[in-house]
Amino acid sequence: MPIKTETSADIVKLLALTDERAIGVLFAYADAVRKKEAGDEVHLRAIIEFSNYCVNDCLYCGLRKSRKNLHRYRMTDEEILAAVRKADELGYKTVVLQSGDDLFYSADDISCLVGKIKNQFDMAVTLSCGERSFEEYKEMRAAGADRYLLKHETANKKLYEKLHPGQSFEMRLKILGWLKELGFQTGSGSMVGLPGQTLEDIAEDILLFKKMDIDMIGIGPFIPHGDTPLAGSSAGTADMVLKTLAITRIVTRNTHLPATTALETIDPLGGQKALECGANVIMPNLTPQKYREDYQIYPGKICVFETADDCASCVRGMVKSIGRTVSSGRGDSLKIKKTQ
């Protein structure tokens, strides 16, 4: 029987569920939608965190510019290409280049790097390097970048601007519109459990994803970092993240949903649970080990000390254990005709 998710009030009722049986029904329905819309394949996307510099001072983030006791790094093109080569050897068909909002790398720099990757490897390239101008995004897209990930974090304008000093909620949404206009497969996402966030806010996040017709949505818990202004705040819970993920699958239907690393950080079985209630993507870490510990958006991040081979083996084993298969394709948007 379909679960009602038409309005914010409908979604809030589902988010407020505490009865385990009712939650189980929600998760089973979301998993059925996932199977119908996305199939049983799980897409693996190798993430390379190429810089932990950032010009912003977001209250929750361990990379915030005001943090002084963090060893900062920037990877060279050669280091990034070596990591991409390793991803290719491991059979990954998408690489995600992620950084803080680091303006040291110009649009020309990023575009040149994208061109090198596209010339040497048969894989999709996702960029996640923050807010840029329309012309810069246009240049990156022309260079061959396939996708861009820019989370909106919260649909509550007042909360967004409190957490992101000097940034505009309207501009964040405008940029997401630019990315779609330029032909990027566009990713966004939100945090669950932010200080001051309500269930109504989470419901609005989900409805915003649907309204913007986002191609991939990353949903993870807020995890307080000890060296940020939100150090003493309570963390988001795995249960609420999983309910949010399940409802997002039901509402958005044909969207890629990753089992986020942040969820696995607060719940060792979080990845498997996410795959069983709507998720269909995993993003293994291919950042060189000497840099991983310094990409501290939140503390306690998993897979900091594992090798790329270890992570690949672990992920593939987990996917197999729940009766799913690892995709051999690029995992392009479910909203467009497959190109591979």
Side-chain angles (χ1 to χ4, degrees), residues 173-192:
L173 297 189
K174 186 174 185 178
I175 291 174
L176 287 168
W178 287 348
L179 295 170
K180 290 186 70 65
E181 179 184 341
L182 289 167
F184 282 101
Q185 294 174 44
T186 304
S188 189
S190 61
M191 278 189 286
V192 173

Side-chain angles (χ1 to χ4, degrees), residues 70 288-296 304-305:
L70 174 65
Q289 284 183 284
K290 67 178 180 178
Y291 298 126
R292 286 191 198 182
E293 200 169 3
D294 293 322
Y295 202 81
Q296 294 183 15
V304 169
F305 302 107

Side-chain angles (χ1 to χ4, degrees), residues 49-250:
E49 299 152 336
F50 66 92
S51 169
N52 69 348
Y53 281 85
C54 192
V55 300
N56 293 319
D57 222 14
C58 304
L59 300 190
Y60 53 83
C61 184
L63 304 188
R64 64 196 312 263
K65 68 178 181 181
S66 293
R67 188 178 175 203
K68 304 302 181 186
N69 61 339
L70 174 65
H71 175 259
R72 303 283 179 172
Y73 72 86
R74 291 183 175 111
M75 291 172 61
T76 65
D77 277 13
E78 290 71 24
E79 289 177 310
I80 296 170
L81 288 170
V84 175
R85 187 170 297 108
K86 182 63 178 178
D88 183 60
E89 291 171 1
L90 290 170
Y92 300 134
K93 294 299 182 181
T94 294
V95 63
V96 181
L97 303 182
Q98 185 175 74
S99 70
D101 281 38
D102 185 1
L103 301 182
F104 173 84
Y105 298 92
S106 68
D108 285 349
D109 293 332
I110 295 171
S111 298
C112 182
L113 177 60
V114 169
K116 290 177 181 177
I117 294 171
K118 300 297 282 190
N119 285 332
Q120 296 181 40
F121 305 99
D122 179 21
M123 60 174 65
V125 176
T126 300
L127 298 176
S128 181
C129 39
E131 294 190 351
R132 300 278 179 147
S133 70
F134 181 88
E135 290 303 320
E136 288 175 299
Y137 291 127
K138 185 177 181 180
E139 181 178 349
M140 296 175 198
R141 180 74 181 113
D146 302 277
R147 307 168 188 155
Y148 203 98
L149 174 60
L150 186 70
K151 294 185 177 181
H152 76 257
E153 306 297 7
T154 174
N156 180 323
K157 170 181 163 61
K158 184 176 179 180
L159 181 59
Y160 178 93
E161 295 183 351
K162 178 181 179 182
L163 295 172
H164 303 83
Q167 297 183 64
S168 161
F169 178 68
E170 285 82 3
M171 178 54 71
R172 181 59 58 111
L173 297 189
K174 186 174 185 178
I175 291 174
L176 287 168
W178 287 348
L179 295 170
K180 290 186 70 65
E181 179 184 341
L182 289 167
F184 282 101
Q185 294 174 44
T186 304
S188 189
S190 61
M191 278 189 286
V192 173
L194 287 164
Q197 185 184 59
T198 65
L199 294 184
E200 287 77 12
D201 292 333
I202 298 173
E204 290 304 316
D205 287 328
I206 296 170
L207 292 172
L208 181 60
F209 293 139
K210 181 180 181 180
K211 178 181 179 181
M212 298 198 73
D213 201 26
I214 297 297
D215 297 291
M216 190 185 89
I217 301 165
I219 298 168
F222 162 68
I223 303 175
H225 195 295
D227 289 328
T228 69
L230 300 183
S233 303
S234 298
T237 67
D239 287 346
M240 188 58 70
V241 172
L242 291 169
K243 284 189 284 186
T244 304
L245 178 67
I247 299 165
T248 300
R249 169 59 72 195
I250 295 166

